[in-house]
């Protein structure tokens, strides 16, 4: 079933650490018209932070590359977020998604990023190709308090 897109945005930004905060705030601003509950908004921002941080610290380790974040608001209060990089990629995605798995234990990474994204989404999809990059897609139905009409306020 193809859901109607009510609103959408795409951002491209370099993998600088300060852009983790920018990405969180951008998503937060984009969905603010729906008046999401505080805990829900905070979970979405945390999930986005984890995805963007992974691009910064893993995908483009020792270099700076482009991160592309796409957010769509679909009918039925469904939120679609994708975070894409063209970095080093992940050889074994299933293993990388296991809680506590990390390739950067020396840097105090807990290996919980994917577990957090998973628990704060209804569905998390991770596709990756070594040397080509990774795309993380999160889907979540919002418990919005505002009715949607898609025709402006
Ligand atoms: N965008 C990415 N590009 C390359 N590798 C990634 C990316 N995201 C995650 N990984 C790999 O998956 C592992 C697990 O990620 P995560 O669960 O966020 O834990 P952590 O970031 O604490 O290591 C990382 O250690 C890294 O090896
Ligand atoms: Mg992580």
């Amino acid at each position: 079933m193809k859901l109607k897109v009510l609103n959408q945005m795409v951002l491209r930004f370099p993998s600088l650490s300060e852009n983790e905060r920018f990405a969180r705030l951008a998503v937060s601003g984009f969905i603010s018209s729906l008046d999401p509950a505080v805990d829900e908004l905070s979970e979405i921002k945390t999930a986005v932070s984890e995805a963007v941080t992974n691009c910064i610290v893993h995908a483009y380790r020792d270099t700076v590359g482009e991160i592309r974040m796409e957010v769509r608001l679909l009918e039925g209060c469904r939120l679609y977020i994708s975070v894409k990089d063209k970095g080093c990629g992940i050889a074994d995605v299933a293993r990388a998604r296991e809680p506590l798995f990390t390739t950067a234990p020396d840097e105090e990474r807990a290996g919980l990023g994917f577990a957090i994204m998973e628990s704060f989404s209804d569905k998390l999809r991770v596709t990756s190709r070594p040397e080509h990059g990774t795309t993380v897609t999160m889907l979540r139905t919002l418990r919005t308090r505002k009715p949607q009409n898609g025709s402006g306020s």
Side-chain angles (χ1 to χ4, degrees), residues 12-43:
R12 289 193 175 86
F13 50 89
S15 60
L16 305 172
S17 57
E18 58 262 42
N19 284 339
E20 181 255 322
R21 180 175 151 80
F22 166 62
R24 290 167 64 97
L25 293 174
V27 171
S28 171
F30 184 73
I31 63 173
S32 66
S33 62
L34 293 172
D35 193 21
V38 176
D39 59 334
E40 182 162 57
L41 185 59
S42 134
E43 289 183 0

Side-chain angles (χ1 to χ4, degrees), residues 54-55 58-59 85 88-90 96 101-104 109-114 134:
N54 280 351
C55 302
H58 301 301
D85 67 67
C88 67
I90 303 173
F101 175 85
T102 181
T103 50
R109 310 229 66 88
L112 290 172
F114 282 132
T134 302

Side-chain angles (χ1 to χ4, degrees), residues 9-150:
M9 65 106 147
V10 180
L11 284 176
R12 289 193 175 86
F13 50 89
S15 60
L16 305 172
S17 57
E18 58 262 42
N19 284 339
E20 181 255 322
R21 180 175 151 80
F22 166 62
R24 290 167 64 97
L25 293 174
V27 171
S28 171
F30 184 73
I31 63 173
S32 66
S33 62
L34 293 172
D35 193 21
V38 176
D39 59 334
E40 182 162 57
L41 185 59
S42 134
E43 289 183 0
I44 292 164
K45 285 162 80 179
T46 302
V48 165
S49 284
E50 292 295 337
V52 170
T53 299
N54 280 351
C55 302
I56 297 168
V57 304
H58 301 301
Y60 297 120
R61 162 181 288 265
D62 303 327
T63 168
V64 174
E66 187 182 88
I67 300 173
R68 181 185 188 278
M69 180 170 82
E70 184 165 351
V71 185
R72 289 184 209 147
L73 192 56
L74 309 169
E75 64 184 318
C77 290
R78 286 191 180 80
L79 182 67
Y80 164 104
I81 301 175
S82 77
V83 176
K84 179 175 183 164
D85 67 67
K86 291 184 178 166
C88 67
I90 303 173
D92 185 342
V93 170
R95 184 144 182 255
R97 289 179 67 155
E98 282 170 17
L100 304 180
F101 175 85
T102 181
T103 50
D106 310 340
E107 294 155 37
E108 294 176 35
R109 310 229 66 88
L112 290 172
F114 282 132
I116 289 167
M117 288 180 242
E118 185 132 38
S119 74
F120 290 165
S121 316
D122 297 325
K123 195 168 175 194
L124 175 73
R125 195 171 65 217
V126 183
T127 55
S128 190
R129 243 177 98 197
E131 312 305 327
H132 284 82
T134 302
T135 304
V136 169
T137 308
M138 298 179 269
L139 268 170
R140 173 168 176 149
T141 301
L142 300 171
R143 313 190 304 273
T144 181
R145 292 176 290 188
K146 280 239 174 107
Q148 277 180 297
N149 53 26

